[in-house]
Amino acid sequence: MILNKESNGYTFGFAVILVVAVGAILAILALVLKPYIAANGVQKQQMDILSAFVDLEKEGISRRNVEEKFAKYVKLSDAIVLDMNGNVREGVDAFKVDIRAEYKDKNLKDADKNYPLFIAKKDGKTLYIIPVVGKGLWGPIWGNICLGEDMNTIQGASFGHKGETPGLGAEIAQPFFVDRWIGEKLMDENGVFAKFEIVKDNSGGAMEKKVDGITGGTITSKGVEEMANRCLAVYATYFSNLKNSQ
Amino acid sequence: MSAEVQKTKAPSEPLFSKKNKKLITDPLTDNNPVTVQVLGICSALAITVQVKQGLVMGLSVIFVTMMGNFVISAIRNMIPSRIRIIVQLVIVAALVIIVDQVLAAFMPDLSAQLSVFVGLIITNCIIMGRLEAFAMANKPWPSLLDGLGNGMGYAGLLIIVAVFRELLGSGSIFGYALLGSPIPSDGHPLGTGLYAMGYMNNNMMILPPMALIIVGIIIWVQRSRNKALIEEH
């Protein structure tokens, strides 16, 4: 019997077989490549955390040696996870918390969100690295903010973004913008967290909770402001509780 | 015995006959998909800032045109004509996903830089054009060569444009600084190498429109050398 190639039955049959075959090939490929892609994600996360307090280029840190360097600075067993009230949440692996996915998840209640805190040692000093996440103009923005031994002063930071406008919003990842955060303090003398403000009038030079924004990147800059305030407030509560109990 | 069988068979074409060789060489020169047919311009603008990006993008497209042409040609007699475009799209999309996943697994940083443009290979006119115009009517082997030729024609142009843009825009090729360092250091207020003499990178080269101008110059040079390519009005 010769199949009639133009019949509806043949057309449907061909389409179904083709799609099933292609789907199967892609599914197998995805399974095979999954561990590699996951390992890349871990390396990226480690590099992001390190970039808050280490100059990756100067130290020659790349994907190839990041695991070893990360282990040198950061002890994952020291890392903790907080809840939104600044209390330690037991039994959660800080490194496995995907704050970007949690931030995006509309069904997740704020009370269920996790706030990881990584603790690093560099030159004998203890550093506290806070991952933050928020949204810019076109998509997610994120970063890691590093506090010094006083659990208050920002020592370093790194910001990243998915697709902010090059030359405008994308400049948040540039060192000049990151440097504007260094030296700012989370809490005032009374241990109260005050909000950061992104300003346009070039008054951000002094360390008074004001940071100069980026010209032409207002919405992204405001996104960084919102991100910093929302996330850092949780950690500020934790740090002031910790200090009071000492 | 075997010699007899061969005699009775029609003489088969050698794998790299003159005709087949032309399938590869034509798209590199007088029938270049980008400069002569002016296809695939969009991605040529976007990912030619660095030679490395252009090279990987070119290799990805070569893979997709080759395999797409081959697979479509192999099943061309089975494809119902009413859904042939959809079938072509499914094959191309699958190949592009393969490229995207492999890049994400083994070249994660480059994959992040190329971002959506790997996925957009699906919409590259060269691929669908070759499938419809060549693979649907020819045997798998010539189709494979045709895909290889067109992919290389695209990749070659991408690399030429990227060499100009990276050299003039960033002063490097493949990330190696050829002209010295533009970053001021102790004793070198203007940087080193050419930069010490006051040379500066042309920042305009980094912007997409410059790719269009470079492609335009290449088209101009090519047509002035080969008058047959100039359209009559």
Side-chain angles (χ1 to χ4, degrees):
Chain A
M1 192 192 81
I2 298 162
L3 279 170
N4 176 9
K5 260 177 56 185
E6 299 310 319
S7 72
N8 286 345
Y10 181 84
T11 306
F12 272 116
F14 186 88
V16 168
I17 292 170
L18 179 79
V19 170
V20 169
V22 168
I25 292 170
L26 292 183
I28 292 168
L29 183 82
L31 278 179
V32 172
L33 295 180
K34 206 174 171 187
Y36 295 97
I37 295 176
N40 290 337
V42 169
Q43 288 170 354
K44 183 89 187 93
Q45 196 183 348
Q46 291 178 336
M47 287 177 79
D48 279 352
I49 293 172
L50 284 184
S51 66
F53 61 95
V54 186
D55 189 333
L56 294 185
E57 230 168 276
K58 241 189 218 157
E59 299 267 315
I61 298 175
S62 68
R63 282 183 182 275
R64 247 168 275 143
N65 59 5
V66 65
E67 267 166 71
E68 170 199 335
K69 296 275 183 182
F70 186 78
K72 186 181 138 199
Y73 287 115
V74 184
K75 228 183 177 179
L76 277 181
S77 54
D78 289 346
I80 53 168
V81 175
L82 308 176
D83 64 13
M84 65 174 293
N85 299 319
N87 301 315
V88 178
R89 188 174 269 170
E90 300 292 342
V92 189
D93 186 346
F95 196 74
K96 292 232 168 77
V97 173
D98 187 347
I99 55 166
R100 279 185 232 171
E102 288 189 4
Y103 178 70
K104 227 167 49 181
D105 190 349
K106 293 254 172 4
N107 298 321
L108 194 70
K109 286 195 211 91
D110 280 346
D112 292 331
K113 285 183 182 160
N114 294 307
Y115 296 86
L117 174 66
F118 299 98
I119 294 160
K121 281 242 161 48
K122 190 191 175 196
D123 305 332
K125 291 205 171 87
T126 310
L127 301 170
Y128 300 86
I129 296 110
I130 301 170
V132 293
V133 60
K135 67 173 190 284
L137 175 58
W138 304 114
I141 54 176
W142 57 84
N144 285 283
I145 295 174
C146 170
L147 300 184
E149 233 169 354
D150 61 353
M151 304 178 189
N152 195 8
T153 315
I154 296 179
Q155 296 262 317
S158 65
F159 295 114
H161 63 92
K162 186 156 182 219
E164 298 305 300
T165 322
L168 301 175
E171 301 282 293
I172 58 162
Q174 295 294 327
F176 77 87
F177 180 72
V178 174
D179 287 348
R180 291 175 187 171
W181 291 83
I182 293 173
E184 296 281 349
K185 286 183 175 19
L186 252 57
M187 291 162 279
D188 58 18
E189 306 83 55
N190 306 321
V192 181
F193 177 73
K195 287 198 163 172
F196 289 100
E197 195 188 344
I198 293 277
V199 291
K200 290 185 172 183
D201 56 2
N202 202 20
S203 63
M207 298 304 159
E208 293 166 335
K209 304 287 287 194
K210 284 184 181 172
V211 176
D212 288 320
I214 291 168
T215 311
T218 304
I219 297 178
T220 313
S221 304
K222 283 282 171 191
V224 177
E225 174 192 290
E226 191 273 339
M227 164 169 90
N229 286 332
R230 177 172 36 78
C231 298
L232 290 180
V234 173
Y235 296 91
T237 321
Y238 168 75
F239 286 131
S240 59
N241 289 344
L242 197 67
K243 275 183 202 160
N244 291 339
S245 67
Q246 273 170 4
Chain B
M1 177 76 193
S2 61
E4 252 180 34
V5 174
Q6 269 187 0
K7 257 183 208 166
T8 50
K9 245 167 66 178
S12 63
E13 223 182 324
L15 281 183
F16 287 101
S17 65
K18 222 175 183 182
K19 210 173 97 202
N20 282 349
K21 267 191 204 147
K22 260 183 95 66
L23 288 174
I24 303 183
T25 54
D26 255 11
L28 294 181
T29 54
D30 291 348
N31 203 11
N32 188 285
V34 185
T35 60
V36 178
Q37 299 169 21
V38 197
L39 295 174
I41 286 285
C42 351
S43 49
L45 303 190
I47 34 85
T48 48
V49 179
Q50 293 169 6
V51 181
K52 202 173 171 192
Q53 285 178 22
L55 180 70
V56 171
M57 183 71 177
L59 290 176
S60 308
V61 170
I62 290 176
F63 172 76
V64 175
T65 50
M66 255 174 80
M67 293 310 293
N69 262 9
F70 181 77
V71 172
I72 287 293
S73 170
I75 61 170
R76 70 188 186 284
N77 293 327
M78 290 189 272
I79 300 174
S81 62
R82 274 182 295 175
I83 57 165
R84 67 178 197 286
I85 300 283
I86 300 174
V87 171
Q88 291 167 11
L89 262 180
V90 169
I91 300 288
V92 173
L95 290 168
V96 169
I97 293 170
I98 292 173
V99 170
D100 194 31
Q101 293 282 303
V102 169
L103 281 182
F106 299 109
M107 305 175 100
D109 293 320
L110 213 57
S111 161
Q113 280 173 13
L114 291 174
S115 65
V116 295
F117 292 103
V118 174
L120 284 178
I121 294 176
I122 298 172
T123 62
N124 192 320
C125 334
I126 298 168
I127 292 162
M128 293 295 284
R130 291 328 291 172
L131 291 181
E132 187 66 6
F134 197 93
M136 286 300 282
N138 287 283
K139 287 190 177 147
W141 175 246
S143 299
L144 188 95
L145 296 179
D146 179 76
L148 176 66
N150 277 280
M152 289 200 313
Y154 172 83
L157 187 100
L158 229 57
I159 291 166
I160 294 172
V161 175
V163 164
F164 278 111
R165 289 184 74 189
E166 189 174 347
L167 184 65
L168 299 176
S170 315
S172 60
I173 298 283
F174 269 109
Y176 294 108
L178 295 181
L179 308 179
S181 163
I183 301 160
S185 55
D186 298 332
H188 299 281
L190 292 170
T192 57
L194 261 187
Y195 298 97
M197 291 184 261
Y199 173 81
M200 282 169 89
N201 284 328
N202 184 349
N203 286 335
M204 218 153 71
M205 278 292 170
I206 297 171
L207 303 175
M210 284 313 286
L212 200 60
I213 291 173
I214 295 173
V215 172
I217 292 172
I218 293 172
I219 292 178
W220 173 41
V221 171
Q222 191 183 11
R223 291 189 188 199
S224 66
R225 289 169 61 98
N226 184 352
K227 301 276 189 248
L229 293 175
I230 302 171
E231 291 99 351
E232 302 273 334
H233 288 289

